[in-house]
Amino acid sequence: MEAAVTEYQKLQASFQTAVEARQQLDSQLRENEQVAKEFSKLTQNNEVYKLIGPVLVKQDQVEAKTNVDKRIEFIKGEIERVEAQIKDLNEKTEKKKIEIVALQTKAQQDASAAGAASATAISA
């Protein structure tokens, strides 16, 4: 039973990590979608700069838009992957929970049976 409980705790920790990753991806997606929205307001005469370390470097507007679009696409793919992982971990956690409850029930039944057997032996 201890092994089942340990496995359950590991599954819960993995589930929590996946949920945190999902939240971080959501944040990145919103940020990149905001950047894409700002790009849509630019004219061809506007200049775009990218922050690389402490330096702003001029970047081609089309290239910048393409990079942001690709990043959004990648993040959406990662979100799908993490959501599938969360679903799988949730299912495994539920199965392990059911297994633990079954083990606890069996242990209680065994303890009751042992108690009844010893009570019968004492009265005989």
Side-chain angles (χ1 to χ4, degrees), residues 95-117:
K95 286 178 184 176
K96 192 57 70 173
K97 189 189 303 184
I98 291 168
E99 179 184 331
I100 290 169
V101 169
L103 289 171
Q104 287 175 334
T105 302
K106 183 171 179 355
Q108 288 173 348
Q109 288 172 348
D110 291 348
S112 294

Side-chain angles (χ1 to χ4, degrees), residues 18-34 75-76 78-80 82-83 86:
V19 168
E20 289 170 3
R22 173 66 167 91
Q23 290 170 340
Q24 185 176 8
L25 287 167
D26 270 340
S27 176
Q28 290 174 354
L29 180 62
R30 281 192 303 274
E31 181 180 310
N32 280 280
E33 285 175 338
Q34 185 63 36
I75 292 169
K76 286 181 178 180
E78 283 297 296
I79 286 173
E80 288 178 16
V82 170
E83 283 179 344
I86 288 171

Side-chain angles (χ1 to χ4, degrees), residues 30-45:
R30 281 192 303 274
E31 181 180 310
N32 280 280
E33 285 175 338
Q34 185 63 36
V35 171
K37 184 178 174 183
E38 292 297 320
F39 278 155
S40 69
K41 297 176 184 177
L42 297 178
T43 65
Q44 288 193 335
N45 296 333

